């Protein structure tokens, strides 16, 4: 099959080339367009900056399969694909354990004073005075959202011997018994958790899910961790809660200004940085400079294994199509 692959970094090109030897594969570093789509291509592999339009499909009229290396697929004209009997597959999961691990990386960095400890030793002082931390064992973790990532976080928390409370408007039947936690209402979770961690989607219902109102009764001295989406927390309200000591610390992988991000892989693309002044806005964000806040640059998903899983699933999607048994289809 002749396959045109778009938007790959060099290592991804090598990874795919090695695993798609039986096919004729053309790599194009740019995004897909009518001018660079091979007229005889039978399959396209793209990322979200490549618009798979009617016009492109008219030029490449032999295309039978489109694989996107992303979870979302709104860059693909699904109707146009249906009309042409083109199968479209995506990558539904790749980073559940990865984001959960980063959640604990942030939490442990806070609980064990890792940043000041390392800075002190690098500065030539080998002395633990003032760097005392606190145990996770016995602290109650409040998990907001018990989907793919939330449930990994719960499993990890249980192995730290933490009691877990969780809130999800769509509780998963039996999951609480299976993993050993309790579903409670959001207000109860906030009032009783030593650490609150967010793992729900950002949408019009979850905008500023944590706000001045409910941060006013969050458990005194709670830690807030956010590896989901920045818009879930009203940053100004969080800052007030930090200043008043109601929240003792925060670990954030995402900030409010990032609302335009649809999915994580986007932030690694060279095309991403062409999007206005997000970088500057994020850097200037006042939370970044707060002494009791640690911020990572939307990096929770960014592990070698997670990125390889995207490629592996894309390859499986292609093999499924070739076998006549397409998987992870979206149309
Ligand atoms: P998922 O779809 O598997 O789970 C989301 C869960 O949130 C579902 O159980 C859903 O019922 C629940 N939910 C929906 N509305 C809610 C509400 N108002 N309050 C509480 N729970 C609610 O999603 P997944 O894969 O676990 O991802 C969770 C979040 O993590 C997403 O927002 C995603 O964008 C973000 N994410 C962040 C990454 C990073 O690198 N920082 C990487 C991957 C995902």
């Amino acid at each position: 099959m002749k396959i045109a692959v778009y938007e790959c970094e060099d290592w991804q090109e090598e990874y795919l080339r090695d695993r798609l030897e039986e096919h004729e594969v053309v790599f194009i570093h740019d995004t897909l367009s009518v001018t660079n789509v091979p007229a005889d291509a039978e399959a396209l592999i793209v990322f979200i900056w490549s618009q798979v339009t009617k016009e492109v499909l008219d030029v490449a009229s032999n295309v039978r399969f489109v694989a996107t290396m992303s979870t979302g697929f709104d860059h693909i004209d699904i109707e146009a694909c249906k009309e042409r009997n083109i199968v479209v597959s995506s990558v539904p999961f790749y980073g559940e354990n990865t984001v959960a691990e980063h959640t604990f990386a942030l939490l442990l960095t806070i609980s064990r004073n890792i940043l000041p400890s390392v800075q002190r030793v690098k500065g030539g002082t080998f002395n633990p005075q003032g760097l005392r931390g606190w145990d996770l064992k016995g602290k109650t973790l409040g998990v907001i959202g018990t989907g793919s990532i939330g449930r990994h976080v719960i499993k990890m928390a249980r192995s730290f011997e933490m009691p877990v409370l969780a809130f999800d408007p769509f509780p998963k039947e039996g999951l609480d018994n299976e993993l050993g936690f309790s579903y409670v209402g959001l207000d109860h979770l906030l009032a009783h958790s030593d650490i609150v961690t967010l793992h729900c989607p950002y949408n019009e219902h979850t905008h500023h899910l944590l706000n001045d109102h409910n941060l006013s009764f969050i458990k005194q001295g709670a830690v807030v961790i956010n590896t989901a989406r920045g818009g879930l927390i009203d940053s100004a309200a969080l800052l007030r809660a930090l200043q008043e000591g109601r929240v003792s610390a925060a670990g954030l992988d995402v900030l409010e200004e990032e609302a335009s991000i649809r999915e994580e892989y986007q932030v690694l693309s060279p095309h991403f940085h062409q999007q206005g002044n997000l970088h500057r806005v994020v850097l200037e964000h006042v939370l970044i400079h707060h002494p009791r806040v640690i911020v990572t640059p939307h990096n929770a998903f960014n592990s070698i294994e997670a990125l390889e899983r995207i490629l592996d699933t894309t390859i499986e999607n292609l093999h499924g199509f070739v076998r006549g048994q397409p998987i992870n289809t979206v149309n």
Side-chain angles (χ1 to χ4, degrees):
M1 193 149 77
K2 175 147 183 177
I3 306 166
V5 186
Y6 292 83
E7 302 181 59
C8 273
E9 292 176 25
D10 290 345
W11 74 271
Q12 293 167 313
E13 180 171 332
E14 204 181 317
Y15 193 94
L16 288 174
R17 199 183 287 287
D18 287 349
R19 288 160 182 79
L20 295 174
E21 272 174 356
E22 68 272 33
H23 298 287
E24 186 190 339
V25 189
V26 185
F27 289 91
I28 298 148
H29 282 260
D30 210 346
T31 54
L32 170 68
S33 74
V34 284
T35 57
N36 65 15
V37 66
D40 55 350
E42 297 165 273
L44 304 174
I45 296 182
V46 297
F47 183 56
I48 71 162
W49 305 101
S50 284
Q51 299 291 324
V52 182
T53 60
K54 281 190 188 74
E55 291 71 25
V56 164
L57 297 173
D58 285 342
V59 175
S61 57
N62 292 335
V63 168
R64 291 288 156 261
F65 180 62
V66 175
T68 182
M69 295 180 281
S70 58
T71 306
F73 46 86
D74 54 7
H75 50 295
I76 299 172
D77 186 336
I78 296 292
E79 276 312 306
C81 288
K82 264 191 207 154
E83 282 162 17
R84 292 164 175 77
N85 283 327
I86 297 171
V87 175
V88 181
S89 289
S90 77
V91 180
F93 310 104
Y94 61 90
E96 304 92 292
N97 68 292
T98 310
V99 177
E101 286 178 28
H102 195 84
T103 301
F104 275 91
L106 290 172
L107 179 54
L108 287 161
T109 301
I110 290 169
S111 67
R112 304 315 305 260
N113 286 318
I114 297 296
L115 283 184
S117 300
V118 171
Q119 276 158 4
R120 182 173 302 180
V121 173
K122 282 194 189 294
T125 311
F126 202 83
N127 174 352
Q129 209 79 48
L131 294 175
R132 185 164 301 145
W134 43 272
D135 285 356
L136 297 190
K137 178 177 174 175
K139 300 292 185 306
T140 300
L141 182 70
V143 177
I144 300 179
T146 56
S148 314
I149 296 170
R151 68 186 67 185
H152 274 80
V153 167
I154 294 171
K155 275 191 215 165
M156 291 177 193
R158 298 298 293 135
S159 69
F160 277 103
E161 300 182 50
M162 303 173 81
V164 177
L165 301 175
F167 167 67
D168 195 310
F170 310 99
K172 315 291 173 285
E173 211 185 318
L175 190 68
D176 44 0
N177 285 336
E178 183 192 331
L179 300 184
F181 69 93
S182 305
Y183 275 118
V184 295
L186 180 60
D187 290 358
H188 181 98
L189 180 148
L190 293 175
H192 293 89
S193 300
D194 299 295
I195 300 124
V196 173
T197 183
L198 290 151
H199 303 289
C200 61
Y202 176 65
N203 53 41
E204 69 270 31
H205 308 294
T206 58
H207 175 71
H208 289 181
L209 190 69
L210 296 191
N211 49 49
D212 268 323
H213 166 67
N214 56 25
L215 286 174
S216 71
F217 55 78
I218 196 167
K219 186 170 177 180
Q220 182 65 32
V223 172
V224 173
I225 306 286
N226 188 7
T227 55
R229 284 291 180 269
L232 294 170
I233 303 181
D234 176 348
S235 306
L238 177 62
L239 207 56
R240 276 188 283 275
L242 280 156
Q243 272 153 0
E244 289 163 17
R246 277 175 284 122
V247 168
S248 63
L252 311 172
D253 185 51
V254 285
L255 293 170
E256 263 197 271
E257 282 78 1
E258 294 182 299
S260 64
I261 293 174
R262 277 176 287 163
E263 63 188 87
E264 319 333 294
Y265 198 39
Q266 203 175 342
V267 303
L268 291 182
S269 164
H271 303 284
F272 177 67
H273 297 292
Q274 293 165 12
Q275 276 201 328
N277 60 1
L278 176 66
H279 188 62
R280 183 181 59 77
V281 175
V282 169
L283 277 179
E284 283 174 5
H285 202 287
V286 62
L287 281 170
I288 293 171
H289 301 291
H290 193 284
R292 284 181 282 118
V293 177
I294 56 170
V295 180
T296 50
H298 203 137
N299 204 34
F301 75 102
N302 190 13
S303 76
I304 294 164
E305 291 79 3
L307 298 185
E308 285 182 358
R309 274 194 291 275
I310 293 177
L311 297 178
D312 289 340
T313 304
T314 302
I315 292 163
E316 284 164 24
N317 289 347
L318 184 79
H319 288 161
F321 174 77
V322 171
R323 275 199 314 274
Q325 293 163 326
I327 52 170
N328 298 322
T329 53
V330 297
N331 66 341

